[in-house]
Amino acid sequence: MNIRHRRAVTAAAAVGLLPLLAACSGDDAPAGTTSSSPTGDAPLSGTVTLVTHDSFALSDGLLESFEQETGLEVEQVAAGDAGTLVNQLVLTADSPLGDVVFGVDNTFASRAVEAGVFEPYTPADLDPSVTALVGEGLEGLTPIDQGDVCLNVDTAWFDAEGVEPPSTFEDLLDPAYRDLTVVANPATSSPGFAMLLATVAAFGEDGFEQYWTDLGANGLKVTEGWSDAYYVDFSGAGEGGQRPVVLSYATSPAFTVTEDGDATTTAALLGTCFRQVEFAGVLAGTDNPEGAKALVDFLASADVQADVPANMYMYPADATVELPAEWAQFAPQADEPFDVAPADVAAHRDEWIQQWTTAVIG
């Protein structure tokens, strides 16, 4: 079995050290290397610090080619899961961790916008499919990838046990699925918060808390982040996990394809999906604003968009980019994902997380 998924990147420092880091100034430019800025006003130079979640990854040589073409030097800082990333950005808004951030998604972005984390910037000539992903109140951020957060099942486990797998949120309340499900905490995980929002959309503001209470009573396990849920607890990841239902992505089954390529051993439950969009943005207070804009332009470029599926296992934001052939068979997106307006997310995030915590953690 060939299992790959959103992988962690070790970079610069652990989360606890992030507040000690600051964006580097243009005085650190490599000697003799300059390039034009996105606006053509001044040459590019110096160091640009890219702050990301742990799952940021590009093919070898791609980021290096950007550095060679521009004369910029890119330093990377990984800040944990997207929820942790946003928390760090908000806490350090007056002394930013870097110049550009990638990985703030539509479930957490409004919080960062309200905290003044970003300097609005939009690359020129984005495809309409990209700009269509920018929700109200998130203008000035640039969509880089998108994908559906959904429950996944280990179909091989269910086949071996002779049990019909669940297909809906409601199914998971059946005692037949007791102690089989693991999800990530919405207070610390963007996929976890995406599932919380999906249940708000599915059961309403007055009904989602009871759903989570009932799910908790049926043996739900909660982890702090997606990686632990998928790689430690999920039986379908090939790492010894014991739970055959996990919160993951609609693309995940494309990375559990059998060696002959004819089948996959997992499946996404497309009736449980929330569409996640991940953004890049220039951080307010950057010491290298032109370099930061150039890096955002690069992340939105055709080369990076084409690289997204194989390395970050999400759909590129640009719908014109050709996808891997197996995605059509094993990683389709939901026809009607659940949705909650960004304004509602901004207004009720803390309230809904507190209700979830009361229902599940106690």
Side-chain angles (χ1 to χ4, degrees):
M1 184 185 302
N2 177 24
I3 297 179
R4 297 187 298 157
H5 216 281
R6 298 174 63 121
R7 61 189 180 219
V9 179
T10 57
V15 171
L17 297 179
L18 287 174
L20 303 178
L21 300 175
C24 300
S25 71
D27 295 335
D28 297 326
T33 56
T34 61
S35 180
S36 297
S37 71
T39 60
D41 295 331
L44 296 177
S45 63
T47 299
V48 181
T49 300
L50 174 62
V51 186
T52 74
H53 57 46
D54 284 346
S55 296
F56 175 77
L58 295 176
S59 293
D60 292 343
L62 192 54
L63 193 58
E64 290 76 8
S65 68
F66 167 76
E67 294 178 313
Q68 293 172 2
E69 291 171 4
T70 62
L72 293 165
E73 179 181 348
V74 180
E75 291 186 354
Q76 297 182 58
V77 176
D81 187 271
T84 303
L85 169 63
V86 171
N87 289 339
Q88 290 288 325
L89 294 175
V90 170
L91 289 172
T92 60
D94 293 333
S95 181
L97 301 175
D99 304 288
V100 173
V101 63
F102 164 77
V104 176
D105 82 315
N106 55 320
T107 67
F108 281 97
S110 57
R111 179 171 179 239
V113 169
E114 290 173 351
V117 165
F118 302 109
E119 182 69 33
Y121 173 70
T122 301
D125 302 323
L126 293 175
D127 187 80
S129 63
V130 180
T131 57
L133 296 174
V134 181
E136 183 178 355
L138 305 183
E139 297 82 4
L141 296 178
T142 301
I144 304 300
D145 63 39
Q146 52 98 6
D148 290 344
V149 176
C150 318
L151 290 165
N152 277 223
V153 295
D154 177 358
T155 52
W157 186 94
F158 282 101
D159 287 344
E161 295 294 322
V163 176
E164 184 72 20
S167 60
T168 67
F169 284 134
E170 292 87 348
D171 287 348
L172 295 181
L173 303 182
D174 191 313
Y177 304 118
R178 180 179 297 278
D179 298 331
L180 300 188
T181 303
V182 57
V183 303
N185 189 326
T188 55
S189 164
S190 62
F193 191 54
M195 181 176 172
L196 171 57
L197 293 177
T199 60
V200 170
F203 300 105
E205 293 184 47
D206 296 328
F208 82 92
E209 185 175 359
Q210 184 60 52
Y211 173 77
W212 283 100
T213 298
D214 295 342
L215 189 58
N218 207 34
L220 176 70
K221 182 172 183 179
V222 178
T223 66
E224 287 302 294
W226 169 86
S227 295
D228 283 344
Y230 196 89
Y231 286 118
V232 176
D233 290 296
F234 182 44
S235 60
E239 303 290 337
Q242 300 298 308
R243 290 180 176 245
V245 183
V246 67
L247 179 64
S248 195
Y249 291 83
T251 54
S252 298
F255 299 96
T256 57
V257 176
T258 55
E259 291 185 2
D260 59 17
D262 291 337
T264 181
T265 59
T266 66
L269 307 185
L270 297 182
T272 66
C273 298
F274 184 92
R275 186 147 298 162
Q276 183 183 49
V277 180
E278 293 187 314
F279 299 94
V282 175
L283 291 173
T286 170
D287 288 333
N288 193 345
E290 295 304 319
K293 293 174 184 178
L295 183 53
V296 173
D297 288 351
F298 167 71
L299 293 173
S301 68
D303 287 344
V304 173
Q305 290 290 287
D307 197 63
V308 162
N311 285 282
M312 289 188 280
Y313 316 129
M314 297 281 277
Y315 278 79
D318 189 337
T320 67
V321 172
E322 184 176 358
L323 296 171
E326 64 269 20
W327 282 38
Q329 183 176 1
F330 300 120
Q333 291 189 284
D335 291 331
E336 297 181 0
F338 290 108
D339 182 52
V340 178
D344 291 334
V345 176
H348 298 288
R349 176 188 294 103
D350 293 343
E351 172 191 348
W352 289 342
I353 288 176
Q354 183 56 55
Q355 288 180 260
W356 180 94
T357 301
T358 299
V360 178
I361 307 299

